[in-house]
Each structure stands twice: as C-alpha cells, then as structure tokens.
C-alpha cells in the first residue's frame, strides 16, 4: 500500500486483505456463515458478548442491578469476534447485525431478543425501574446522552481507534481527522461534567453506564494506548467522573465479564454466578491489575 492518492474504481469490490487487524471479522454482507446454536444457562437473562466497551455496558448494568438488590441474575457467554462467533446462526437469530452484545430475556411469557447496547440498557432500566429517572424532563436528559453516546462512539472506535491503533499503515489525514473529533467529544463531556456530578445530572444513570466504557477508558488511558497523544489530562472533569465510576464495585465486576485477553487466570470467558467474578477479582486485586 502506497501513499499515492487513491482513485476509487467505478464499482467497489471487497478485498479482505485491506481490512487490517480485523479483516477476518468484517465483510460486506449480512447473515450466518455457519450453524452454531447459542448455549443457554439456568438464568432468565442470557448475555452473549465480549468485554469491549460496548459489551461492558451491559455486564456493568447487570452487575449494578444485582448490587441494588434486583433479580437480574444472568449467564454470560463469550462471543469471540476474532473467530467469527458473531456469524453463527444462533447469534444472527438474536442479532441480524452480527455485533456484540446481544441478549435473550426469558423472564416473560415469550422470550425477547435484544441487540444494540443502548436498547438493552433501556430494556433493563425500564424492566427494573432503575438508573432511569421517572421524571419526564430528567428521563429526556438521560436519553439525550445515551443517544449521543450511541451516535458518537463509532467515531472514536471505528474512526480514531481503527486508524491510530489497528490500520495496516499509519496515515496522517484520517488520524488527524478522528483525533480532532475524539477530542471534541471529550470536550463536550468535560463541559457537561463541569456543571453536573454525572452525565445527565446529579444521579447516576444508564447514560453514565453507556459512556464510561468508551470515554472513561480514554481518559484513564485504557484505550488504544493513546492517552498522551490525545492529551487526556486536560479533561479534568471527565477524569473526576471516570475515577468515581471506576471505583464502583459493580463496575469493576462488570468489566471482568467475557474477558478473553490478559493472563489466563485473570480472564473470564463465561459468567454463571457471582462466584465466577469473585475469583477473578480476587486475583486482579492481589496483583493490582483491576
């Protein structure tokens, strides 16, 4: 690949070799590539996910619900996107878009298929009446910021993260373009958090749960090893907020779920009870890696 100006062909054709680090996980068509029945555990919520920022939103929410005393026990099953698990027939049945996270809710008369992390958060918040204010004006603010995250984060992950960390070559134009947008978004949050304890006001909500894994990860330098490059230290209000949320025990627990990297004894591919997370957390706390 050269730095010469790209001249688009009249008709674009997919070339898998141009996909970079995630070439094997992307394709220009939808649908299943193989038959694979999703496993099902004993709990009413069946999460199929991976501990990416989008995946962490749902596992954090479930752990927050459990910590608050709600009947939200769940099984969490690993979807290894590097191996193409998201293209299995069972996963495509619950999420035709083949992206994590996806979840089955078996608590009612008929099972409910859920996909898109924001949709799952709203479903759980409404079901349990938690982390989602009843007041219409306050609820609107939570939804505003939840939708902001859903629309903005692709510029951070698929844009900045891809070109800065994963693209086969470093190209100045896209890195500059998406670094600018990432910093603009961080500034939006910083100004909002200068006048609010949490994202949508004074109460912790699904807006915080959705935004933290992405933007909290950025300012805590967990994302793309880009903290210095993005000069994240200037976003003092985001850092204050991120540290407060990061210290919450349910957040620590939720971040463990469906991890498939790091030392083997610190990974947690599946979660079926609180004891599964307890084991991994104890190891991480002893080593100072949490």
């Amino acid at each position: 690949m050269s730095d010469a100006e790209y001249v688009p062909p009249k008709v674009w054709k997919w070339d898998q070799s141009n996909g970079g680090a995630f070439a094997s996980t992307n394709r220009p068509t939808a649908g299943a590539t193989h038959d694979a029945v999703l496993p099902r555990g004993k709990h009413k919520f069946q999460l199929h996910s991976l501990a990416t920022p989008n995946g962490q939103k749902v596992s954090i929410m479930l752990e927050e619900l459990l910590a608050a005393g709600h009947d939200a026990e769940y099984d969490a099953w690993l979807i290894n996107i590097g191996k193409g698990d998201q293209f299995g027939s069972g996963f495509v049945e619950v999420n035709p878009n083949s992206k994590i996270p996806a979840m089955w809710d078996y608590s009612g008369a008929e099972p409910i298929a859920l996909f898109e992390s924001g949709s799952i958060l709203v479903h759980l918040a409404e079901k349990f009446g938690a982390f989602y204010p009843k007041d219409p004006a306050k609820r609107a603010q939570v939804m505003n910021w939840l939708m902001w995250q859903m629309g903005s984060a692709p510029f951070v992950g698929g844009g900045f993260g891809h070109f800065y960390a994963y693209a086969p070559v470093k190209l100045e134009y896209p890195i500059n373009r998406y670094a600018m947008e990432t910093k603009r978004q961080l500034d939006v949050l910083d100004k909002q958090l200068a006048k609010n304890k949490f994202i949508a006001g004074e109460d912790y909500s699904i807006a915080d749960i959705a935004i933290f894994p992405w933007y909290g990860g950025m300012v805590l330098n967990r994302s793309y090893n880009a903290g210095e490059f993005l000069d994240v230290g200037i976003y003092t209000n985001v850092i204050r907020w991120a540290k407060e949320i990061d210290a919450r025990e349910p957040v620590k627990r939720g971040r463990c779920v469906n991890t498939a990297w790091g030392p083997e004894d610190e990974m947690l591919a599946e979660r079926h009870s609180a004891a599964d997370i307890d084991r991994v957390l104890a190891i991480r706390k002893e080593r100072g890696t949490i």
Side-chain angles (χ1 to χ4, degrees), residues 53 95 112 114 158 221 230 233 238 257 279 289:
N95 184 2
I112 299 174
L114 297 158
N221 202 26
L230 294 171
V238 183
V257 177
R279 175 185 57 79
T289 55

Side-chain angles (χ1 to χ4, degrees), residues 32-36 84-93 98:
T33 60
H34 59 282
D35 290 328
D85 292 351
Q86 70 275 30
F87 300 122
S89 57
F91 191 84
V92 172
E93 180 185 4
S98 291

Side-chain angles (χ1 to χ4, degrees), residues 138-192:
K138 292 181 179 179
R139 177 169 288 201
Q141 290 307 306
V142 170
M143 286 299 293
N144 286 342
W145 285 101
L146 177 62
M147 294 302 107
W148 175 88
Q149 187 279 320
M150 296 295 291
S152 297
F155 290 95
V156 175
F160 174 75
H162 175 79
F163 286 105
Y164 182 80
Y166 302 126
V169 294
K170 296 286 191 290
L171 299 174
E172 183 179 6
Y173 178 80
I175 290 174
N176 285 345
R177 170 66 180 86
Y178 287 111
M180 178 188 70
E181 176 61 14
T182 299
K183 287 181 69 64
R184 188 194 69 80
Q185 291 177 20
L186 286 168
D187 197 46
V188 169
L189 290 176
D190 203 61
K191 287 179 167 59
Q192 176 69 4

Side-chain angles (χ1 to χ4, degrees), residues 5-123:
E5 182 175 358
Y6 172 64
V7 179
K10 290 184 178 181
V11 179
W12 181 84
K13 300 291 185 181
W14 181 44
D15 181 355
Q16 189 172 3
S17 67
N18 290 335
F22 296 104
S24 64
T25 70
N26 296 310
R27 57 195 176 98
T29 56
T33 60
H34 59 282
D35 290 328
V37 177
L38 288 180
R40 179 176 173 180
K42 64 180 180 180
H43 301 303
K44 59 187 177 183
F45 297 113
Q46 298 292 304
L47 176 63
H48 302 275
S49 191
L50 180 68
T52 65
N54 283 334
Q56 288 179 18
K57 297 178 199 175
V58 178
S59 52
I60 287 173
M61 177 64 168
L62 289 164
E63 291 297 325
E64 290 280 10
L65 289 168
L66 288 170
H70 296 285
D71 182 18
E73 269 295 349
Y74 68 103
D75 295 284
W77 306 90
L78 180 69
I79 297 296
N80 190 326
I81 62 175
K83 294 182 178 179
D85 292 351
Q86 70 275 30
F87 300 122
S89 57
F91 191 84
V92 172
E93 180 185 4
V94 62
N95 184 2
N97 196 40
S98 291
K99 302 290 184 182
I100 62 96
M103 190 172 78
W104 283 104
D105 177 354
Y106 291 102
S107 64
E110 297 291 334
I112 299 174
L114 297 158
F115 66 93
E116 288 296 328
S117 55
S119 174
I120 300 173
L121 290 179
V122 172
H123 176 81

